[in-house]
Amino acid sequence: MKYLNYLTALVVAALLIPLNGCNTDSLSELNENPTVAEEIDPGFILAYTQLQTSGERYENWRTQLIYQSTMMQQFATLPTYWAGDKYLYIGSYSAALWDRAFTGYIKDLTNLVEITDPTVDGQEDLVNYNSIARIWKVVAFQRITDIYGDVPYFGAGKGFSERDFFPTYDPQSEIYADMLNELEVAAGQLSASASTPGTQDLIYGGDVEKWRKYAYSMMLRLGLRMVKVDQAAAQEWVQKAIAGGVMDSNDDISYIQHTDGPGGINRNGMGEVFNWNGERYTTDDSPRLSTTFVGWMQEHNDPRLERLSWVVTGGPAQGMPNGYDASTITQYDPTYEEHNGDAYSRINPMFVLKESPMVFQTYAEVEFMIAEAIERGWATGNAADHYNAGVRAAMQMYSIYDASVEVPSAEIDAYLAANPYDSANWAQQIGEQYWAATFLNFYEVYANWRRTGYPQLTPVDYPGNQSNGTIPRRLIYPTSEASNNPEGYNSAINRQGPDEFTTRFWWDVAQ
């Protein structure tokens, strides 16, 4: 087997992958002919798929920023092409994650799981590669199904191996059941005595114990996601996750530390949005922090705000309202033309550089979920202690972006003293802190808001919106699916409901 070292793998990926997301020649060949796997280091495929899942400018701009960040009122914008701010539908934007995932890393991850099968004679030493690939495949699919609902899952990525070019859309309930099982199997088979991908693993450097914690932390996330549709199963998986051992410090955070090159795939996709021409974050149409987000932080005297906010005029942090455009903003702010948006808070560039980390799951989230489990009677311990640990971890983790935005312990202590935990109001308090802690991971911001209903956001009612003035519950499938895979597409519509922003899927039921 031909092995590529980590540096070579990244250089090859960087030089061969333009920003439009085309696969490398080797990965494309792997998708067409699985025998090529005999010549490709699985560690290279792992590194490549981790970078792909982090994403390029294309899907991060459209899915994360344009839609999710503004629907969740953490950013606000005026241009109408930022469709999520106004609940408008732009087909290519709504389909961006789908397009990148199913034409790229889902195929590669499916192949990686297959070619590292440790039950095949002679491949026993690949058990950790297989386990990590299975966990990472769950990370990728959880994003996809939590955006669209029912999606191709069991047959996805098997166009060559099984000639399944038009896979069926699987029910989200079955997808979740299998993802949870995959996490359990992967966590159980990780081995300290087998080979690891080492530095080719861009998340944990091949540390199997950190991967085990990550698997159980993901299990905790997925278990709680089911709380409104299957409480018994939710409780079972939550308890299993906590017993297995979840993240226990910020050292366990799952993130990729990106670099500024040598090619686009190595860069932070959101960082490329803000810095694609070196000045993006200073232009008039760049997003501002939302009045909702800024107002919540100001109300709680949150020390994170002065780290996040950057105001061109040098004034105090001020959010921009959601749901306005360049013509209507003067109805809210008659002085807008005088400052041209420079009085509103932009994000501090230190958080969105091309080399900034891309975060997938944090220790803070885990602590908030444990606090919730305790309040539900599913775990033992003191909910306030876990809540406080979550707040502290959420503020301390800013250090992974840059030392200049670190929040000192004394400021965290003062914040916790001024905003004590209230068990009688646990759902709202935990939900709001989770919303703040997951800022810049808008996949999780959006998913947890739909699960919990917190924070309680006031929808906008922009003229011509496609959600009847309500915050969308999902994104719409690619328009090509109705014609290219009509059987699969129609089965999902018949089971899930109309292919619209307002359709709720399996775990997102109204209560």
Side-chain angles (χ1 to χ4, degrees), residues 16-17 33 103 124 152 154 159 178 229 242 248 263-264 296 303 305 401 408 424 445 448 453 475 494 501:
L16 294 183
I17 304 170
N33 182 359
T103 62
E124 296 83 0
F154 293 102
D178 191 73
V229 289
I242 294 173
D248 54 26
W296 181 84
L305 180 58
Y401 294 98
V445 174
N448 200 63
L475 295 187
N494 292 334
F501 281 152

Coordinates of all heavy atoms in Angstrom, one line a residue, residues 16-17 33 103 124 152 154 159 178 229 242 248 263-264 296 303 305 401 408 424 445 448 453 475 494 501:
L16 N -4.8 20.3 -5.6 CA -5.8 19.7 -6.6 C -7.2 20.0 -6.4 O -8.1 19.7 -7.2 CB -5.6 18.2 -6.5 CG -4.2 17.6 -7.0 CD1 -4.2 16.1 -7.0 CD2 -3.9 18.1 -8.4
I17 N -7.5 20.7 -5.3 CA -8.9 21.0 -5.0 C -9.2 22.5 -5.2 O -8.8 23.3 -4.3 CB -9.3 20.6 -3.6 CG1 -9.1 19.1 -3.4 CG2 -10.8 20.9 -3.4 CD1 -9.2 18.7 -2.0
N33 N -13.5 3.4 -8.8 CA -12.9 2.1 -8.9 C -12.3 1.7 -7.5 O -11.3 2.2 -7.1 CB -11.8 2.0 -9.9 CG -11.1 0.6 -10.0 OD1 -11.5 -0.3 -9.3 ND2 -10.1 0.5 -10.9
T103 N -21.8 14.6 -3.3 CA -20.9 14.5 -4.4 C -19.5 14.4 -4.0 O -18.6 14.3 -4.8 CB -21.1 15.7 -5.4 OG1 -20.8 16.9 -4.7 CG2 -22.5 15.8 -5.9
E124 N -6.9 -6.3 10.8 CA -7.3 -6.1 12.2 C -6.6 -4.9 12.7 O -7.2 -4.2 13.6 CB -6.8 -7.4 13.0 CG -7.5 -8.7 12.6 CD -6.9 -9.4 11.4 OE1 -5.9 -8.8 10.9 OE2 -7.4 -10.5 11.1
P152 N -31.0 10.2 1.7 CA -30.4 8.9 1.5 C -29.3 8.7 2.5 O -28.5 9.5 2.8 CB -29.8 9.1 0.1 CG -30.6 10.2 -0.5 CD -30.9 11.1 0.6
F154 N -28.6 4.8 4.1 CA -28.0 3.4 4.0 C -27.5 3.1 2.6 O -26.5 2.4 2.5 CB -29.1 2.4 4.4 CG -29.6 2.5 5.8 CD1 -30.8 3.1 6.1 CD2 -28.8 1.9 6.8 CE1 -31.2 3.2 7.5 CE2 -29.2 2.0 8.1 CZ -30.4 2.6 8.5
G159 N -22.6 4.2 -5.2 CA -22.9 4.1 -6.6 C -22.2 3.1 -7.4 O -22.7 2.4 -8.2
D178 N -29.5 4.2 13.5 CA -28.2 3.6 13.0 C -27.0 4.4 13.5 O -26.0 3.9 13.8 CB -28.3 3.5 11.5 CG -27.1 2.6 11.0 OD1 -27.1 1.4 11.2 OD2 -26.1 3.2 10.4
V229 N -39.8 12.9 20.7 CA -40.5 11.9 19.9 C -40.3 10.5 20.5 O -41.1 9.6 20.2 CB -39.9 11.8 18.5 CG1 -40.4 13.1 17.7 CG2 -38.4 11.8 18.4
I242 N -23.4 9.0 29.0 CA -22.7 9.5 30.2 C -21.9 8.4 30.9 O -20.8 8.7 31.4 CB -23.8 10.1 31.2 CG1 -24.4 11.4 30.6 CG2 -23.1 10.5 32.5 CD1 -25.6 11.9 31.3
D248 N -14.5 15.9 29.2 CA -14.5 16.4 30.5 C -13.6 17.6 30.7 O -13.3 18.1 31.8 CB -14.0 15.3 31.5 CG -12.7 14.7 31.1 OD1 -11.9 15.3 30.4 OD2 -12.5 13.5 31.5
G263 N -3.8 25.7 -0.1 CA -4.9 25.7 -0.9 C -6.2 25.9 -0.1 O -6.2 25.9 1.1
G264 N -7.3 26.1 -0.9 CA -8.5 26.5 -0.2 C -9.1 25.4 0.8 O -9.6 25.8 1.8
W296 N -29.0 40.3 24.1 CA -29.0 39.2 25.1 C -27.7 39.3 25.9 O -27.7 39.2 27.2 CB -29.1 37.8 24.5 CG -29.1 36.7 25.5 CD1 -30.2 36.2 26.2 CD2 -28.0 35.9 25.9 NE1 -29.8 35.2 27.0 CE2 -28.5 35.0 26.8 CE3 -26.7 35.9 25.6 CZ2 -27.6 34.1 27.4 CZ3 -25.8 35.0 26.2 CH2 -26.3 34.1 27.1
P303 N -19.1 39.0 29.2 CA -17.8 39.5 28.8 C -17.4 39.0 27.4 O -16.4 39.5 26.9 CB -16.9 38.9 29.9 CG -17.6 37.7 30.4 CD -19.1 38.1 30.3
L305 N -19.0 39.6 24.7 CA -19.4 40.6 23.7 C -18.3 41.5 23.3 O -18.1 41.8 22.1 CB -20.6 41.4 24.3 CG -21.2 42.5 23.3 CD1 -21.6 41.8 22.0 CD2 -22.3 43.2 23.9
Y401 N -9.1 30.6 19.6 CA -9.1 31.6 18.4 C -7.9 32.5 18.5 O -7.2 32.7 17.5 CB -10.4 32.4 18.4 CG -11.6 31.6 18.1 CD1 -12.4 31.1 19.2 CD2 -11.9 31.2 16.9 CE1 -13.6 30.3 18.9 CE2 -13.1 30.4 16.6 CZ -13.9 30.0 17.6 OH -15.0 29.2 17.4
P408 N -10.8 36.3 31.0 CA -10.1 36.0 32.3 C -11.1 35.4 33.2 O -12.3 35.6 33.2 CB -9.7 37.4 32.8 CG -9.6 38.3 31.6 CD -10.7 37.8 30.7
A424 N -35.6 26.3 38.5 CA -37.0 26.5 38.1 C -37.2 26.9 36.7 O -38.3 26.8 36.1 CB -37.8 27.4 39.1
V445 N -26.4 25.4 16.4 CA -27.3 26.5 16.9 C -28.7 26.2 16.4 O -29.6 26.3 17.2 CB -26.8 27.9 16.4 CG1 -27.8 28.9 16.8 CG2 -25.4 28.2 17.0
N448 N -30.4 22.8 17.8 CA -30.8 22.8 19.2 C -31.9 23.8 19.5 O -32.7 23.6 20.4 CB -29.6 23.1 20.1 CG -29.8 22.7 21.6 OD1 -30.0 21.5 21.8 ND2 -29.9 23.6 22.5
G453 N -36.6 25.2 21.5 CA -37.4 26.4 21.4 C -36.7 27.6 22.1 O -37.3 28.7 22.2
L475 N -34.3 23.2 5.5 CA -34.0 23.7 4.2 C -34.6 22.7 3.2 O -34.9 21.6 3.5 CB -32.5 23.9 4.0 CG -31.8 24.9 4.9 CD1 -30.3 25.1 4.5 CD2 -32.5 26.2 4.9
N494 N -44.0 12.0 0.7 CA -45.2 11.4 1.2 C -45.1 11.0 2.6 O -46.1 11.0 3.4 CB -45.4 10.1 0.4 CG -45.8 10.3 -1.1 OD1 -46.3 11.4 -1.4 ND2 -45.5 9.4 -2.0
F501 N -40.0 25.1 3.6 CA -39.3 25.6 4.8 C -40.1 25.2 6.1 O -39.5 25.0 7.2 CB -39.2 27.1 4.8 CG -38.1 27.6 3.9 CD1 -38.2 28.9 3.3 CD2 -36.9 26.9 3.7 CE1 -37.2 29.4 2.6 CE2 -35.9 27.4 2.9 CZ -36.0 28.6 2.3

